[in-house]
Amino acid sequence: MPPLIATTIPDCRAAIHTAKSAGQRVGLVPTMGALHAGHLSLIERARAETGFVVVSIFVNPTQFGPKEDLSRYPRPFERDVELCSQAGVDLILNPTPETMYGYDFKTYVEIHDLQNVLCGASRSGHFRGVATVVLKLFNIVQPDIAFFGQKDAQQALLLSRMVRDLNVPVEMAICPIVREPDGLAMSSRNVYLNASERTSAPVLFRVLSALRYAVVAGERDVAALIGQTTALIAATPHMRIDYIAVVDCDTLTPLTLVHGNVLVALAVFVGATRLIDNIMLVV
Ligand code: AMP
């Protein structure tokens, strides 16, 4: 059965009400569309854990800065519907910006401290937009479980914190990063890369893997690890580093020595395209 497509909130709520009345648990996979195998892994897990799978497809304007790629973000909606259909999605929520924000929107969710570091340092207001839209999606869909990717590690952490701090009755499921065969983390933005940039891009995962090996081999000094990583990236064509960070997994506080549960995260411009990737270490 092809998925239902709801563009309005009442239509979405009616479909969810029917599913819940039939005793089904509802899973939500929030996306901005241009679906790829990373998104499909979230959908697959939602199918395994819930009876009624909702995928939201919404390119959320409030999480884009004025100089970012909102207008050119890929929107292959027909293809997304086909992929959702093949993946067994029950409902696609595809609202317009007007439906989500009306004409006089004034309420935003802020997650202090955590929202201003790493990606938040160079994308001012980004996580405020993410948290606001996700809380709205939670209120519209009222899922039992929501599925997010570890690809966006800071986002997953912030949203988990929001759920905890605001007592949102949703279980958070964070799913592993899906990669291309050469290691490049799948992303809807990979289509922006030209052939030469695409050839360079897997270096991001290679440097993260090299950093992991260095830690396994005994290196604990974060400055040395970041120095080696920076040098490897700088030696690759098209790369301009936004940040490389070695931080505590829960607080995102920078570490000087690698210990405990550690997130190694980076954002690098490959040509004009900003890509992110990360690994977790337990030391
Ligand atoms: P996006 O459409 O980029 O906003 O992503 C929607 C969801 O898919 C987010 O929870 C992302 O973390 C997740 N996601 C994106 N890329 C990947 C990937 N390569 N592996 C796993 N999850 C991903």
Side-chain angles (χ1 to χ4, degrees):
M1 267 243 296
L4 294 167
I5 300 176
T7 56
T8 69
I9 293 166
D11 283 357
C12 179
R13 287 205 161 122
I16 306 273
H17 178 73
T18 306
K20 287 199 168 178
S21 301
Q24 284 169 320
R25 272 158 59 83
V26 173
L28 172 64
V29 181
T31 82
M32 298 206 299
L35 302 181
H36 51 66
H39 299 111
L40 296 177
S41 73
L42 271 52
I43 294 171
E44 199 176 314
R45 178 140 169 222
R47 280 230 61 82
E49 295 188 18
T50 60
F52 190 81
V53 176
V54 184
V55 171
S56 59
I57 298 180
F58 180 59
V59 183
N60 173 35
T62 64
Q63 71 187 69
F64 286 78
K67 295 197 180 124
E68 293 183 354
D69 56 344
L70 174 62
S71 60
R72 73 181 191 116
Y73 196 85
R75 291 167 169 86
F77 186 67
E78 299 297 315
R79 184 172 173 276
D80 287 347
V81 172
E82 182 53 38
L83 288 171
C84 284
S85 184
Q86 289 165 13
V89 170
D90 298 292
L91 173 67
I92 296 173
L93 171 59
N94 180 226
T96 62
E98 291 71 29
T99 294
M100 288 300 274
Y101 291 107
Y103 296 96
D104 191 26
F105 192 85
K106 295 213 187 291
T107 308
Y108 290 88
V109 180
E110 306 258 355
I111 299 150
H112 290 278
D113 303 330
L114 297 177
Q115 70 181 359
N116 294 323
V117 297
L118 307 183
C119 287
S122 47
R123 301 188 71 189
S124 173
H126 171 68
F127 288 113
R128 174 187 196 249
V130 170
T132 302
V133 81
V134 169
L135 186 60
K136 284 174 68 66
L137 292 169
F138 285 176
N139 285 331
I140 294 165
V141 173
Q142 301 190 359
D144 295 280
I145 315 181
F147 298 83
F148 293 91
Q150 178 62 24
K151 159 87 183 343
D152 297 272
Q154 186 176 9
Q155 169 176 288
L157 179 76
L158 264 85
L159 294 175
S160 300
R161 183 59 84 95
M162 174 186 81
V163 162
R164 196 187 86 183
D165 288 353
L166 298 183
N167 307 98
V168 184
V170 174
E171 185 185 323
M172 297 286 287
I174 312 300
C175 309
I177 301 176
V178 177
R179 299 180 178 281
E180 301 284 357
D182 61 11
L184 176 64
M186 292 203 175
S187 164
S188 304
R189 290 191 165 96
N190 290 350
V191 297
Y192 297 153
L193 302 172
N194 67 31
S196 174
E197 291 162 355
R198 177 64 187 80
T199 305
S200 291
V203 81
L204 302 185
F205 184 56
R206 283 206 294 276
V207 299
L208 289 171
S209 303
L211 188 149
R212 184 196 295 281
Y213 289 131
V215 171
V216 169
E219 181 64 80
R220 294 287 180 272
D221 183 58
V222 169
L225 290 164
I226 290 183
Q228 289 155 16
T229 308
T230 304
L232 287 169
I233 295 178
T236 309
H238 310 297
M239 303 269 161
R240 181 165 59 83
I241 296 169
D242 179 359
Y243 70 82
I244 303 169
V246 179
V247 298
D248 179 87
C249 267
D250 298 318
T251 62
L252 302 183
T253 319
L255 299 172
T256 48
L257 288 177
V258 177
H259 68 93
N261 293 327
V262 176
L263 172 69
V264 183
L266 53 74
V268 174
F269 286 92
V270 182
T273 305
R274 185 175 175 281
L275 299 182
I276 57 172
D277 203 346
N278 69 84
I279 54 168
M280 307 271 257
L281 304 172
V282 182
V283 181

